[in-house]
Amino acid sequence: DTAVSQTPKYLVTQMGNDKSIKCEQNLGHDTMYWYKQDSKKFLKIMFSYNNKELIINETVPNRFSPKSPDKAHLNLHINSLELGDSAVYFCASSQNGQGLHFGAGTRLSVL
Amino acid sequence: KQEVTQIPAALSVPEGENLVLNCSFTDSAIYNLQWFRQDPGKGLTSLLLIQSSQREQTSGRLNASLDKSSGRSTLYIAASQPGDSATYLCAVTNSGYSTLTFGKGTMLLVSP
């Protein structure tokens, strides 16, 4: 019954690897987001998709590539992982910007 | 560019106290404002959503107010409990499809 679900919950990997994080929402929302929470706990937007179309792309390295196969899914693929990518990545969704619902987060550790 | 500031950064109170968390934003042309709670190592739980046309929202012991013209919101927690210990985040949206801009949060500790 989870509204916004992300997998995996934890991801530990070596520098230089490629990894993906998946997100699914069953709320029927039209907009999905990826946020990054750094070591200082500050949350910053990375991407936003509305009806599968990219509408916001903040200053994020092009090693990060979001993909939205349908309105209910927004996946995040990261190439050539770097130490600085270690953070917690949160997926969220909303309908017409009316309050965001967040997933539980994916804690990425790059060694 | 919208900036959100939360004061205080940390707050420690004994159980039973009423408390106020403050949030200010630089661009008053907001669409809505949302208060979240984040427990250590966990995701964000939405507490209250205030539309730009509203002055306040209430849920149980929580009351959030919004003064758009002055760029301020407060979250009032009545009769605090140890279970209220968490980080409280304020975030604003500037349009229907823009994203949330978050403050850095207030870390609350309620001691028994």
Side-chain angles (χ1 to χ4, degrees):
Chain A
D1 283 64
T2 305
V4 182
S5 58
Q6 300 178 225
T7 55
K9 190 171 182 181
Y10 298 96
L11 188 51
V12 181
T13 189
Q14 299 287 332
M15 214 164 44
N17 284 349
D18 303 338
K19 290 293 179 186
S20 292
I21 307 172
K22 295 187 176 181
C23 179
E24 176 181 4
Q25 55 96 3
N26 62 5
L27 296 165
H29 287 167
D30 62 358
T31 307
M32 295 185 73
Y33 312 81
W34 278 109
Y35 280 83
K36 178 180 179 179
Q37 188 172 42
D38 59 27
S39 57
K40 295 181 180 178
K41 309 300 182 190
F42 191 46
L43 272 155
K44 288 190 71 174
I45 183 66
M46 298 175 70
F47 301 102
S48 173
Y49 270 72
N50 177 256
N51 288 317
K52 303 194 303 176
E53 299 294 323
L54 179 66
I55 55 172
I56 290 175
N57 181 351
E58 289 294 308
T59 314
V60 177
N62 58 14
R63 297 182 295 103
F64 291 77
S65 52
K67 283 190 171 54
S68 182
D70 55 57
K71 272 177 34 172
H73 296 84
L74 180 61
N75 303 322
L76 183 64
H77 187 76
I78 315 170
N79 289 326
S80 303
L81 278 156
E82 299 177 357
L83 294 176
D85 297 332
S86 296
V88 182
Y89 293 85
F90 286 100
C91 177
S93 71
S94 74
Q95 181 66 26
N96 295 331
Q98 292 302 322
L100 265 67
H101 294 253
F102 280 80
T106 295
R107 187 174 296 276
L108 171 64
S109 298
V110 182
L111 307 177
Chain B
K1 183 182 174 183
Q2 179 72 273
E3 290 183 5
V4 179
T5 304
Q6 291 187 244
I7 294 172
L11 182 62
S12 182
V13 299
E15 183 177 6
E17 275 203 9
N18 302 324
L19 56 99
V20 174
L21 308 181
N22 296 293
C23 171
S24 61
F25 42 95
T26 54
D27 182 353
S28 61
I30 65 169
Y31 185 70
N32 58 42
L33 181 145
Q34 202 166 355
W35 281 94
F36 294 89
R37 168 188 173 137
Q38 186 175 28
D39 293 281
K42 305 286 186 185
L44 281 74
T45 301
S46 179
L47 297 173
L48 291 163
L49 171 68
I50 310 178
Q51 302 296 340
S52 61
S53 58
Q54 297 175 321
R55 298 286 299 212
E56 68 175 358
Q57 282 286 342
T58 297
S59 175
R61 294 182 294 108
L62 305 180
N63 175 280
S65 68
L66 174 64
D67 185 343
K68 207 173 81 157
S69 60
S70 68
R72 294 183 182 185
S73 175
T74 60
L75 179 66
Y76 177 84
I77 303 177
S80 58
Q81 303 171 357
D84 295 330
S85 299
T87 296
Y88 290 79
L89 294 155
C90 167
V92 299
T93 306
N94 279 91
S95 71
Y97 291 104
S98 70
T99 59
L100 285 174
T101 301
F102 279 87
K104 294 187 177 181
T106 294
M107 190 181 305
L108 173 65
L109 176 63
V110 181
S111 51

